[in-house]
Amino acid sequence: MKRTLIHWLGLFGLAGLLSYAAAVVFSPLAYPGYDWMRQAVSDLSAANAPSLTLWNQLSCIYGISGILTCMIVCIYIQGKLNHILRLGIYLFTVMNWISYVGFGIFPLSDSGYAGTFQDVMHMVTTAVVVILSIASLILIMIGGYRKKFFVGLANWAALALGMMMVGAIGTAVVPAAYFGIVERFSVFAAVGFVAVLGVYVFIGTPLERIESRE
């Protein structure tokens, strides 16, 4: 298959994952006393976090690549897949927009939860992002398992959903000393699935093989 520009642009998803991983791994170097096993990833980008500058530098590719990749996927799948699978991907894209804008406007004012209006809106954004993430992944699973060529994509969605569930349940039941470990399952689930969608666009064939018959 001859790859066009839109196929190559799909690699932005993978670049975003690498950028985000670098920010999560290396930003603590600029945050004295940060305990990754106990603290959330969002503490690294809090408004007064000493690691904020390094976080912004390392995550700059991630910030835009998630939106760009999802929009590329939405354009790429027009007239393809089935309507449930498309709806799931569209909803996942909406989730990424809300995440990008919401967390950009309402970062934590301080590490943890300081109780300000900004922090409340950060938590509201988190709740909306989680709900949309779960709903979109379930739709992608339902639509994906309907056609044999899309089972692989459905399996990736199931893995991402499983990671989110581990994070959601784990943060509620594990001791506070291990909150950061299980929380990372949730945050990497969505970023990882964006990378998967981007790779699917790069590969091309799995998303082109069957067009909608509805």
Side-chain angles (χ1 to χ4, degrees):
M1 182 193 72
K2 182 179 179 180
R3 289 188 173 85
T4 63
L5 176 60
I6 195 169
H7 293 104
W8 288 101
L9 290 176
L11 293 178
F12 271 106
L14 187 59
L17 174 60
L18 295 175
S19 173
Y20 186 79
V24 171
V25 172
F26 295 110
S27 292
L29 297 176
Y31 193 133
Y34 180 84
D35 183 355
W36 71 271
M37 296 178 64
R38 178 179 59 84
Q39 292 181 256
V41 171
S42 55
D43 286 357
L44 294 168
S45 58
N48 65 346
S51 56
L52 180 59
T53 298
L54 181 57
W55 172 274
N56 288 336
Q57 291 172 332
L58 294 174
S59 66
C60 62
I61 297 176
Y62 154 74
I64 191 61
S65 66
I67 297 296
L68 179 60
T69 301
C70 287
M71 296 304 294
I72 289 170
V73 174
C74 288
I75 294 171
Y76 191 75
I77 64 174
Q78 291 184 64
K80 304 181 179 74
L81 316 182
N82 57 67
H83 74 280
I84 297 178
L85 191 46
R86 288 197 305 271
L87 178 60
I89 292 175
Y90 294 156
L91 194 60
F92 188 77
T93 301
V94 171
M95 178 278 294
N96 272 275
W97 271 105
I98 292 176
S99 174
Y100 181 73
V101 176
F103 291 132
I105 296 175
F106 302 112
L108 287 175
S109 63
D110 198 359
S111 297
Y113 181 74
T116 66
F117 173 77
Q118 184 169 309
D119 296 315
V120 171
M121 293 307 298
H122 182 93
M123 294 304 156
V124 170
T125 301
T126 300
V128 173
V129 166
V130 169
I131 292 171
L132 291 179
S133 296
I134 293 173
S136 63
L137 290 172
I138 289 175
L139 287 173
I140 291 171
M141 290 167 59
I142 294 173
Y145 286 130
R146 289 179 59 183
K147 300 288 185 179
K148 64 179 181 179
F149 292 122
F150 304 125
V151 169
L153 182 59
N155 287 338
W156 280 109
L159 176 61
L161 182 60
M163 291 176 64
M164 287 184 182
M165 292 296 99
V166 169
I169 297 173
T171 53
V173 299
V174 302
Y178 303 108
F179 175 90
I181 296 177
V182 291
E183 188 254 359
R184 279 160 172 75
F185 278 89
S186 292
V187 298
F188 272 101
V191 181
F193 192 69
V194 170
V196 168
L197 290 176
V199 170
Y200 264 79
V201 170
F202 177 71
I203 295 173
T205 303
L207 296 184
E208 294 174 348
R209 190 168 295 177
I210 298 178
E211 292 191 355
S212 175
R213 295 291 189 267
E214 290 83 9

